[in-house]
């Protein structure tokens, strides 16, 4: 697996040294078994709640015609049957294809390894939504009794990066549902967290979805509700003077970074200003840009 995916860096080896070779099979030492699908169940620590139905159906058609080429990896359950360590998509697609068994390799893993694998597999493949990623970090911290600093060290992510995702868990449930189904973006959700009156969050979130508001527009509304009308009026006036493509570029950058972004242009040249609210917020933005500094 690429060490660059999701910016996990060297943290993968520190967390689970054999993760990169998890699905490699040693035919001389390991037996591939045809296990009944009814004897299998997903990893109980699987953070991903939704699967791409179209992709699953395509995989199911392939399996129906050619079978499963790569065995899934399982462990024997302490209760009954087996728990899937890697290969849940193949398991689900095999069921859709009407198969009764799936090729599998049985290995021994403890509870801690199961948690770590479930999270890392999805983070590496970028399969998690923003809320699912936040819940995955929270699950690891609670079950492995880790602090934010310890988790960030293991994952090779900055502490502010972890903290910003965990903040999503403080949103009202109905707002979190909008993030989960991707009606609200990470940038929009972070903007809503700046609202002083939590009772206004749901109505503003619904308005953001209904009117397809950009992060900038949502930020202006949050400022208005937080009684920052003067600053909002000035920001709106400056925005109206800018060309459409500049305003559109600012909106896209704001959605990416979850903070205010200003583009100043003159004679085809210009500069981009990205606002940060603290040193931690700056670290978060640098992490998004995948900028790292050598430790001295």
């Amino acid at each position: 697996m690429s060490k660059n995916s999701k910016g996990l860096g060297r943290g993968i080896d520190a967390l689970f040294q054999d993760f990169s070779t998890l699905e490699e099979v040693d035919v001389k030492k390991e037996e591939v078994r045809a296990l009944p699908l009814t004897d299998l169940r997903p990893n109980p620590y699987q953070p991903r709640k939704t699967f791409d139905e179209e992709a699953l159906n395509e995989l199911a058609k392939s399996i129906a015609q050619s079978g499963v080429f790569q065995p899934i990896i399982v462990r024997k359950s302490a209760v009954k049957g087996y728990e899937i360590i890697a290969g849940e998509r193949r398991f689900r697609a095999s069921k859709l294809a009407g198969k009764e068994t799936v090729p599998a390799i049985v290995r021994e893993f403890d509870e801690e390894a199961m948690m770590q694998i479930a999270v890392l597999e999805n983070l590496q493949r970028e399969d998690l939504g923003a809320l699912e990623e936040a819940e995955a970090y929270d699950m690891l911290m609670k079950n492995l009794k880790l602090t934010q600093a310890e988790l960030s060290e293991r994952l090779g992510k900055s502490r502010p990066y972890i903290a910003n995702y965990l903040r999503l868990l403080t949103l009202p449930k109905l707002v979190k549902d909008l993030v989960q189904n991707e009606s609200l973006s990470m940038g929009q959700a972070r903007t809503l967290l700046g609202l002083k009156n939590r009772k206004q969050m749901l109505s503003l979130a619904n308005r953001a979805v209904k009117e397809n508001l950009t992060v900038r527009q949502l930020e202006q509304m949050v400022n208005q509700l937080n009684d920052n009308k003067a600053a909002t009026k000035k920001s709106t006036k400056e925005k109206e003077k800018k060309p459409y493509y500049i305003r559109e570029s600012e909106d896209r950058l704001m959605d990416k970074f979850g903070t205010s972004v200003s583009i100043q242009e003159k004679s085809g040249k210009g500069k981009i200003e990205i606002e940060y609210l603290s040193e931690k917020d700056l670290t978060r933005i640098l992490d998004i840009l995948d900028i790292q500094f050598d430790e001295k």
Side-chain angles (χ1 to χ4, degrees):
M1 288 188 176
S2 171
K3 293 287 183 77
N4 294 324
S5 296
K6 279 297 222 184
L8 289 176
R10 68 183 191 284
I12 297 174
D13 292 334
L15 182 56
F16 190 70
Q17 294 190 7
D18 292 328
F19 182 72
S20 61
T21 58
L22 177 64
E23 296 200 57
E24 291 183 4
V25 179
D26 187 342
V27 293
K28 295 181 179 178
K29 297 180 180 179
E30 297 185 296
E31 176 187 358
V32 179
R33 309 180 189 179
L35 296 180
L37 294 175
T38 53
D39 288 351
L40 301 173
R41 71 185 184 99
N43 186 333
Y45 305 109
Q46 167 67 267
R48 182 171 41 162
K49 295 179 174 61
T50 58
F51 290 79
D52 187 324
E53 291 188 12
E54 183 178 348
L56 274 180
N57 287 324
E58 289 179 1
L59 182 57
K61 291 179 182 178
S62 174
I63 289 175
Q65 294 178 352
S66 308
V68 177
F69 292 112
Q70 187 176 19
I72 67 172
I73 308 298
V74 303
R75 76 164 184 174
K76 195 160 183 57
S77 172
V79 182
K80 182 182 179 182
Y82 300 87
E83 293 173 346
I84 299 170
I85 297 170
E88 185 173 344
R89 287 184 68 254
R90 276 162 279 162
F91 162 72
R92 289 173 175 261
S94 294
K95 291 176 69 175
L96 288 175
K99 298 290 185 179
E100 295 183 356
T101 64
V102 64
I105 292 173
V106 182
R107 292 180 182 169
E108 293 183 8
F109 287 96
D110 59 22
E111 295 297 311
E112 181 171 336
M114 291 286 284
M115 292 180 218
Q116 295 171 162
I117 291 169
V119 174
L120 282 175
E121 181 185 22
N122 285 287
L123 288 178
Q124 282 283 40
R125 295 172 183 172
E126 303 188 18
D127 283 339
L128 296 181
L131 191 62
E132 289 174 330
E133 186 169 342
E135 291 173 342
Y137 295 148
D138 186 57
M139 181 266 292
L140 282 175
M141 289 175 60
K142 288 180 178 178
N143 291 323
L144 301 183
K145 294 180 173 56
L146 299 173
T147 64
Q148 285 187 21
E150 290 169 337
L151 181 62
S152 67
E153 176 67 23
R154 287 196 177 196
L155 293 179
K157 305 292 287 184
S158 72
R159 184 174 177 179
Y161 180 94
I162 300 291
N164 281 322
Y165 271 89
L166 290 173
R167 285 185 66 209
L168 296 179
L169 300 180
T170 66
L171 290 167
K173 182 183 182 305
L174 293 178
V175 177
K176 286 195 287 188
D177 290 342
L178 294 175
V179 178
Q180 177 63 41
N181 63 30
E182 298 183 348
S183 296
L184 275 180
S185 70
M186 173 73 168
Q188 289 173 314
R190 277 179 47 79
T191 302
L192 286 171
L193 286 168
L195 196 58
K196 294 178 180 179
N197 187 348
R198 289 181 58 85
K199 294 180 179 179
Q200 297 174 317
M201 278 190 183
L202 180 58
S203 61
L204 188 55
N206 285 329
R207 182 176 176 183
V209 174
K210 182 179 180 180
E211 299 180 18
N212 196 26
L213 299 177
T214 65
V215 172
R216 177 182 288 276
Q217 291 170 326
L218 190 57
E219 181 187 44
Q220 291 172 354
M221 292 179 181
V222 168
N223 287 337
Q224 285 179 328
L225 292 171
N226 287 343
D227 294 325
N228 289 329
K229 296 181 180 179
T232 302
K233 184 177 180 181
K234 180 180 178 182
S235 175
T236 303
K237 188 175 180 180
E238 290 177 349
K239 178 183 176 183
E240 290 173 349
K241 294 180 180 178
K242 296 180 179 180
Y244 173 78
Y245 75 93
I246 292 292
R247 287 183 278 129
E248 181 70 16
S249 298
E250 286 179 335
D251 290 340
R252 292 187 180 186
L253 289 171
M254 287 182 69
D255 190 55
K256 179 178 181 62
F257 293 112
T259 191
S260 294
V261 176
S262 175
I263 299 177
Q264 305 296 330
E265 184 192 43
K266 186 176 182 180
S267 301
K269 300 179 181 179
K271 61 182 179 179
I272 299 174
E273 295 179 350
I274 303 173
E275 181 183 87
Y276 62 93
L277 305 177
S278 64
E279 289 185 7
K280 289 184 177 180
D281 202 33
L282 173 59
T283 303
R284 175 187 65 82
I285 292 169
L286 291 174
D287 194 71
I288 294 173
L289 292 168
D290 198 23
I291 296 175
Q292 300 178 356
F293 296 98
D294 295 332
E295 296 180 3
K296 295 183 178 179

